[in-house]
Amino acid sequence: MQKSDILKNLQEIAGNERVSASSAELYCYSCDASQVRGMPDFIVRPVSTEQVSKIVRLANEEEIPVTSRGAGTGMAGGAVPLEGGIVLDMSSMNRILEMDLGNLQVTIEPGIIQEKLNEALEPYGFFFPPDPGSSAMCTLGGLIANNGSGMRSVKYGTTKTYVLGLEVVMADGTVVNTGSKVTKSVAGYSLNDLFIGSEGTLGVITKATLKVRALPKERSVLLASFDDPEHAGQAVVKVLSSGLIPSACEILDRNIIEAINTYDPNIGLPKAGAILMFEVDGTENSVREGIEMIRGICSSLATSIRAASDKKERDEIWAARRLVGAAVSRLDPLRTRVYLGEDIGVPIKELPGMLHKIREISEEFDLPIMTYGHIGDGNLHTGMCIDMLDDKQWDKLSKVADKIHRTAIGIGGTVTAEHGVGSARAEYLELELGNALDVMILIKKALDPKGILNPGKMGV
């Protein structure tokens, strides 16, 4: 079929106004937040499962690649159409279909923004716990497709913890439903888990039923300063080993503290080798006891400790943490943040050693690394900036990222704890997964024999 005929067919399915092949629009969909690039041939913005099914069926018949996309906030090239074809922009399918709060669940379309769901839930006293840094922008479909998480995962778990059921369009256009509305079921294979984190390589998510939780009555935050990140890592191990599970546990190292204070001098974070931010939620008594317990555990390692005195101070501390993404590039205006080697996860007891190793790698290659992230679940982000016009700096950055990845794998960790594999980290999957990657490839071939769904991603 000629390109003009494909365009006409897509317009008949979704409507002229929801299909585009203009150069300007295609360019806008050629990237995400990563360094990965790929130009699509068509953009389609479906509004129903029926439309998605017809589009995918056409693509399968004509062997046209299909890449699903939410808000494009990914950092691994997961939504980038490496082999052209159709980009399915799912952001128009953004409704809350059902709020079944008596059963502690909601049913949503994939294009709804994560923050918008929580805004709708809050008046009823509920929330959806996964809390990525991009919560004001990212879609829930993208969050499910990457099994994203964020700051509260140390206590509440990742997105997969909350997925009860999915509606998925398969590679041949067939619509299947996985899971159910019950909180537990062992009827058949766990197909939810197959599609969660599959990054659109096995099917297109068009609906999801999600668990929600009651909002905690109280929250408080404790901020502890340390001479170096290794001492901060030791404090995290001690806190988690005590049996207390904070609702969030974040780290900021010296470089990122300086960057945040430069970005907004009013923030006034204390100068330190590293800062830990602990949040405890629950009842008023349990929060007070938890904060005091953390204070006692950290006292032998920290140089200073302070707990938020009220909601205003608590919000100010978290506002500083949420500035990280904007602040990373501010220390040197001539350099740009590049998302490579920036989402490792390591076993909890390995945190002090990994933090020390990151500092050694930074010194070895003379490349500043700003370390921050969800240290309570072992997830560290290493922010690096370079002059993007300097090939030598690109080469150095690649070597640093490679060493960070291989170090994490070497101690039983992962190259991506929440941002996804995409194409940016696909080369490490064989090293990390071994022959389990062969099983992934078999599953991909079985469900998508023509290889049309997000080709070139996840090593499959």
Side-chain angles (χ1 to χ4, degrees), residues 221-336:
V221 176
L222 180 143
L223 189 150
S225 302
F226 300 84
D227 285 331
D228 54 56
E230 294 96 298
H231 284 140
Q234 291 166 18
V236 172
V237 174
K238 289 181 69 175
V239 168
L240 297 178
S241 298
S242 73
L244 173 68
I245 304 297
S247 52
C249 178
E250 299 289 303
I251 187 171
L252 305 175
D253 78 352
R254 184 190 310 276
N255 290 332
I256 197 62
I257 293 168
E258 183 181 349
I260 291 171
N261 285 336
T262 300
Y263 182 81
D264 184 353
N266 294 321
I267 292 292
L269 288 174
K271 293 181 180 180
I275 288 173
L276 289 178
M277 298 172 173
F278 291 96
E279 181 186 81
V280 180
D281 67 8
T283 65
E284 184 176 343
N285 286 340
S286 68
V287 168
R288 182 172 59 252
E289 291 171 2
I291 289 293
E292 289 309 308
M293 188 173 176
I294 293 172
R295 186 194 299 273
I297 292 170
C298 292
S299 61
S300 64
L301 292 165
T303 55
S304 66
I305 300 174
R306 69 179 174 91
S309 58
D310 53 27
K311 181 180 182 300
K312 179 175 181 294
E313 188 174 2
R314 183 192 78 196
D315 291 346
E316 287 173 352
I317 291 173
W318 281 130
R321 168 61 181 88
R322 293 188 184 278
L323 279 178
V324 167
V328 165
S329 299
R330 292 307 177 96
L331 285 182
D332 187 345
L334 300 178
R335 297 181 178 225
T336 303

Side-chain angles (χ1 to χ4, degrees), residues 22-103:
S22 75
S23 298
E25 285 203 69
L26 296 178
Y27 181 79
C28 291
Y29 286 83
S30 67
C31 61
D32 57 9
S34 73
Q35 76 286 353
V36 180
R37 298 291 182 270
M39 191 67 71
D41 297 299
F42 310 98
I43 308 300
V44 189
R45 304 177 183 90
V47 294
S48 69
T49 300
E50 182 183 11
Q51 288 183 359
V52 174
S53 175
K54 290 179 178 179
I55 293 163
V56 174
R57 184 176 295 115
L58 171 66
N60 192 54
E61 290 171 355
E62 299 298 324
E63 298 190 21
I64 303 167
V66 177
T67 304
S68 305
R69 182 183 176 99
T73 59
M75 298 174 180
V80 177
L82 294 179
E83 298 183 17
I86 299 167
V87 167
L88 276 180
D89 179 348
M90 304 296 288
S91 60
S92 295
M93 295 177 65
N94 58 7
R95 296 175 298 166
I96 299 175
L97 299 173
E98 183 183 21
M99 294 182 69
D100 186 4
L101 300 181
N103 280 318

Side-chain angles (χ1 to χ4, degrees), residues 95-100 105-109 181 207-210:
R95 296 175 298 166
I96 299 175
L97 299 173
E98 183 183 21
M99 294 182 69
D100 186 4
Q105 58 191 247
V106 296
T107 299
I108 54 94
E109 291 182 319
K181 296 188 72 173
K207 189 186 298 182
T209 298
L210 307 172

Side-chain angles (χ1 to χ4, degrees), residues 71 94 111-118 135-140:
N94 58 7
I112 186 171
I113 301 299
Q114 193 267 359
E115 189 175 84
K116 295 296 183 184
L117 175 61
N118 273 332
S135 59
M137 300 169 283
C138 74
T139 63
L140 284 170

